[in-house]
Amino acid sequence: IEREGQWRYAGEAWTSISSADGQNIARFLDSDLSQTAARVVEVMPIVREHVETGFGSSLDHSQVIKLYSSMRHLQQSIYLSYVDGLSGWNEPGEAIKILADPKSTKSQLKRLLAHEYGHVATFSFDSHASEHMPWWAAEGVAELAAERFTGARSVKTVDRMVRAWAQAGELADWDKMADFRSTPLSLYAKVYTQSHHFLGYISERFGRDARNT
């Protein structure tokens, strides 16, 4: 853009699709993601209502979702040296970022967006939650938020996996999964699965309100 007689870098030229009420905004760079962006805008009200009900909160703000067509581009949007595989990312006050393609279905998008919006809801309790919470807790909450959209079979698979790990003495130490940057790559699956199972237990044992408190 030209500003005060000088040309300045303004960032990437995103195309936006918004819901009628302006509460959900999908942005994309590649034109072949236009239909996927439309699907994101369509399913986000469902996702938001479900997640907010689970958190007992109402987030009255517009939510931007940026669609990336390549893993590397998504990684570089986080920081240039980021190399771990991922399908989505979220930080306090920022857009939800997801890896998408023209074939991304509504079901797949609901699952991914619910996980990421679970982080948004977590940050609404504490904008420094990513610093104050163990990494496994943050991801466990997000996985629980997305549970409705994973299907009963997936939930049962999580239960079987964690019970098998427990029986074999292979549950991961929580302390080893507490910090994102120091957690071994070999434990990444357990960060999500083991903590999802644990947060589910807390919800069933103590109830939603006690869990959120």
Side-chain angles (χ1 to χ4, degrees):
I1 59 172
E2 186 177 8
R3 180 180 295 168
E4 298 176 353
Q6 294 182 330
W7 286 96
R8 300 177 182 274
Y9 178 62
E12 296 165 311
W14 297 90
T15 299
S16 296
I17 296 178
S18 301
S19 58
D21 60 5
Q23 285 292 92
N24 302 293
I25 305 164
R27 293 179 177 165
F28 59 95
L29 293 171
D30 300 331
S31 59
D32 60 355
L33 288 180
S34 60
Q35 293 301 312
T36 307
R39 288 193 286 273
V40 166
V41 170
E42 182 179 348
V43 303
M44 270 304 291
I46 300 170
V47 168
R48 292 183 66 161
E49 181 181 9
H50 169 67
V51 174
E52 290 173 10
T53 298
F55 276 80
S57 61
S58 179
L59 309 184
D60 187 21
H61 65 80
S62 58
Q63 181 62 57
V64 176
I65 305 96
K66 290 184 175 180
L67 282 63
Y68 291 80
S69 59
S70 79
M71 176 78 73
R72 191 67 191 118
H73 190 190
L74 175 56
Q75 291 169 328
Q76 290 174 333
S77 76
I78 300 168
Y79 45 86
L80 295 179
S81 61
Y82 191 92
V83 295
D84 296 333
L86 76 166
S87 56
W89 188 268
N90 183 240
E91 292 286 350
E94 295 185 3
I96 288 174
K97 303 176 180 181
I98 64 170
L99 186 64
D101 64 52
K103 296 181 181 179
S104 297
T105 67
K106 291 179 184 180
S107 295
Q108 291 169 333
L109 291 169
K110 286 177 184 177
R111 163 76 179 85
L112 178 54
L113 291 168
H115 178 99
E116 296 304 327
Y117 199 66
H119 288 311
V120 174
T122 300
F123 297 145
S124 74
F125 282 102
D126 181 0
S127 61
H128 297 284
S130 58
E131 302 168 21
H132 297 162
M133 292 177 66
W135 183 39
W136 63 263
E139 296 300 343
V141 168
E143 286 292 278
L144 190 63
E147 184 179 272
R148 170 186 170 186
F149 304 110
T150 61
R153 180 179 298 179
S154 179
V155 174
K156 289 179 180 178
T157 298
V158 167
D159 184 60
R160 285 196 300 268
M161 288 177 64
V162 174
R163 289 179 183 277
W165 291 338
Q167 189 171 14
E170 296 176 353
L171 290 173
D173 292 337
W174 297 111
D175 287 349
K176 292 182 179 178
M177 304 186 295
D179 181 68
F180 166 69
R181 289 174 176 78
S182 63
T183 299
L185 188 61
S186 61
L187 292 182
Y188 272 30
K190 291 183 178 179
V191 168
Y192 292 82
T193 305
Q194 184 174 311
S195 56
H196 176 192
H197 194 273
F198 182 43
L199 267 295
Y201 165 77
I202 289 176
S203 297
E204 292 177 6
R205 176 68 176 81
F206 301 102
R208 177 185 292 168
D209 291 342
R211 179 201 67 204
N212 291 340
T213 302

